[in-house]
Amino acid sequence: MNEVLQFPVSEQGEPKVEGLVLSMIDYEDRNGILHIATPEKVYSVYARGIQSQSSKNRRLAMPFSRVILNYDPKYSKNMMFLINGSVEKSYWKVGESLEMQTVSSILTSLIESFGIDPDLYAHLEAFWSSVQQSEMNRALLHACRIVTGILKKTGTIMDVDECVVCQTKTKIAGISIENGGFVCKEHLDPEQGDQIFSRDDLIKLRGLVKIREDQLDALYSFQWDLPFLVFLLDWLVYHNDYRLKSLDFLKMLLPKRTAA
């Protein structure tokens, strides 16, 4: 009886995987380990000689790309062995923006740490695709959905239904990272880090958390920006006791506020 492969195969049963390139780490001399995300799982792929200038597989390690890899299923139970492959789609313009490149690095590291699912996979490729098409507002919406998706996976999503202190649904004035969600005007405490949100930002955040994937069009009309994404990332770091590389650098790239 044939052993069932634990790695993905094509419809014809061939050892082949299609996915998004999350990262590559050095492994011994000129070798590397690719981290490839499918909609269901993140896989490690051992790529011998991929960092050599003469390697035909070198292009498969390009970030911001979707690839198809052919691999040897007998190499290891824990890791695929790369034979060859092809780049199906390259979203190379992500690398032309320092801000978007940094956001992508943060998103891929989050996925490597917390896992993948079909929605996160779709949002990551949609983020890259939107940047490629210079649709930055749409790109940042997809980035925000990735972060809130991970917050839901970890059980640390903010409460956006009512004031988390007194349960009132009226006079919501901001959000408390300490208390875990919306707070009313009476219980807003800036001294403990509570943030005042405009009415539009409160509606935007509630929609980001509550709206289903098939209702996503309702969020495209909002203005999405880096400060709002950074707020979500700070929330994730605080409530998951997680050290997020590149977040401090992203904060340095935020537009400077001008004095009134």
Side-chain angles (χ1 to χ4, degrees), residues 83-98:
I83 298 175
N84 54 37
S86 60
V87 177
E88 296 300 295
K89 187 70 177 180
S90 173
Y91 304 102
W92 53 271
K93 284 189 178 180
V94 178
E96 291 190 340
S97 164
L98 186 56

Side-chain angles (χ1 to χ4, degrees), residues 109-126:
S109 68
L110 288 176
I111 287 172
E112 288 190 35
S113 296
F114 294 102
I116 191 79
D117 61 42
D119 289 339
L120 295 180
Y121 181 96
H123 282 300
L124 179 59
E125 186 162 21

Side-chain angles (χ1 to χ4, degrees), residues 146-169:
I146 290 173
V147 180
T148 52
I150 291 172
L151 289 175
K152 289 178 181 179
K153 286 169 69 75
T154 58
T156 55
I157 194 70
M158 55 280 296
D159 186 336
V160 294
D161 288 325
E162 59 191 9
C163 174
V164 293
V165 179
C166 68
Q167 288 73 56
T168 183
K169 298 181 185 296

